[in-house]
Amino acid sequence: MCGIVGYTGKNSALAPVLEGLRRLEYRGYDSAGIALTLEAGLPLWVEKRAGKLGNLEETLDQGVPTSHSGIGHTRWATHGGPTDTNAHPHLDNDGKLALIHNGIIENYVELRLALEAKGHHFKSETDTESVVHLLSDARKEHGGDLAAAMRQVCAQLRGSFTLLAIHSDDPERIVGARRNSPLVVGVGDGENFLASDVSAFISHTKRALELGQDEVVDITPTKITITDLAGNTLPPNEYEISWDASAAERGGFSHFMLKEIYEQPKAIADTLIGRMSGLDSSITSGLELVNINKVVIIACGTAYHAGLVGKYAIEKWAGLPVEVEFASEYRYREPYVDAATLVIPISQSGETMDTLMAMRYAKSHGAQVFSVCNTNGSTIPRESDAVLYTFAGPEIAVASTKAFATQLVAMYLIALHLGTVRGLLSPEFLAQIGDELAELPGKVEQVLETVEPLRELTRKFKDSTSMLFLGRHVGFPTALEGALKLKELAYMHAEGFPGGELKHGPIALIDEGTPVVAVMPTGNALLTEKMASNVQEVKARGAVVIAISDVDVPAATHLIRIPTTHEFLQPVLSVVPLQVIAYEMAVARGNDVDQPRNLAKSVTVE
Ligand code: M6R
């Protein structure tokens, strides 16, 4: 959801704020806005526009006054449509205080009614505007102390928020706060940064500070103060960012998504390093695994599909029952969970609100939490008993690709670890599967070398109205992932089915020329035969079948050949052509590949 950036320092603020917004635009792109402080006493300079950041940038050509401190926002609309007026920053009635916000203020209506009764005049339909009026009054009560005002206001808010505020009378200061929504501090030399994630300031500094729940941060060019809502000063929790600016740039690829598809071999290799012969105690020491009797995987979207594959591996290798739950549904059905339950939240961003809330529910009922996450310092790993980080590097495209590949790898590593702890896996098996895992990066490279014909083939289906994906065993979650990718990128109807379910209804969708992608790597002879029959069935009804397999599939119309690997590891290879199909279809249909309509990378509202 919305991207937030703040800069205060020795340099002009406009360039780092715009650069930060450009890097954070993946989080939301309905509108964008900037507020800059000028000299003390002069009014704030504010510009905001509906639409993508480019719309705002066009207006800046008319000149921007020099400023050394400012905040910027890129919005994914929740309350109020994507208009100039609803765009952030929002101002108080004096026009001296500017505020940007990510998240949802749940009690904004009651706050607004009370503020209007006090004479505040509202301009927008947003939940955010209540906060700026509240903050304005609180600042006056606290004799101009914006940080004290922010603490008071946060205590009055319900919901989730990252907030950044500036005031024209105190031009070097930016005050921020967070609850259930991300905010990190970038520590520079004579300059400091605040942002939704480190990519916003990665070209300026690699030093970052984590902020915890309900913490308020007050920055000037030379000072950073972090407090809790009671005003107690907290020690900074500093970490070094392990990747550099080029990782967050397109590097010659036409889109971030394509770059990220091609980064998968490295992402997988990085996630495997040092872990193939088991997870060491520095990762698992916070867990007591011997007595667990059930695993619950909670995740959303693509991460959920990785969880489904994880279920197959954990049940087989660790002999434990596994439930995979949509995080958004989990806590609301009040599931049974206790201290013998191991909960595994999977999240690229580590900030997905549905996943975070489901995880908190499980934790409050005694479960142990072992998260899989790609983002250092984010909320989900911070609140977990243990975390297995994936090393996909920054994933900028909204559609998840390399993060999915590494989430699969993480699930295999956890399944093997659980099986080892439970004494179920022989050294021979561990050696064999270790070899197979080690070969995955090279095999993904091979797939990438052979997908070129698929790009041309995909364009032939550009005008199709629907595409179906079939698979069995771990090929089924892979089919679901292929369908999700196509929906979000090509805006095309797509569904994934287990091959065996076809004749229970979905086969009625097949018509002359319907494209069907059959995920059918071998590994289990019985299932290979059954998938071959499913291919015959849909072909007999007019479907055009693209098979993804490591052997010939005579009945298929087209074959995409992938290398052979262990049956359970196949999704890592077979998903790559599905990503390419979705990418190519989006390009062919003229869609925005990296920022598909209505979506945002990090979903920090429920
Ligand atoms: O950051 P997370 O992994 O928690 O995000 C979960 C989903 O929102 C995400 O995987 C989403 O489904 C992707 N855009 C799909 O490509």
Side-chain angles (χ1 to χ4, degrees), residues 395-418:
E395 192 179 65
I396 308 290
V398 166
S400 184
T401 53
K402 62 177 179 169
F404 178 66
T406 59
Q407 286 163 352
L408 291 173
V409 167
M411 293 318 294
Y412 302 137
L413 293 173
I414 290 176
L416 293 170
H417 182 75
L418 292 174

Side-chain angles (χ1 to χ4, degrees), residues 299-304 346-352 355 380 398-401 407 481 484-485 488 599-603:
C300 302
T302 288
Y304 172 81
I346 309 175
S347 176
Q348 187 285 129
S349 61
E351 300 290 350
T352 299
T355 311
I380 288 173
V398 166
S400 184
T401 53
Q407 286 163 352
E481 175 59 8
L484 175 62
K485 286 281 95 76
E488 72 178 325
L599 295 173
K601 180 74 179 163
S602 183
V603 184

Side-chain angles (χ1 to χ4, degrees), residues 99-116:
L99 181 89
I100 54 178
H101 166 221
N102 173 28
I104 290 180
I105 306 299
E106 286 165 3
N107 55 335
Y108 80 100
V109 175
E110 65 194 66
L111 292 173
R112 182 170 180 146
L113 292 174
L115 286 157
E116 281 176 336

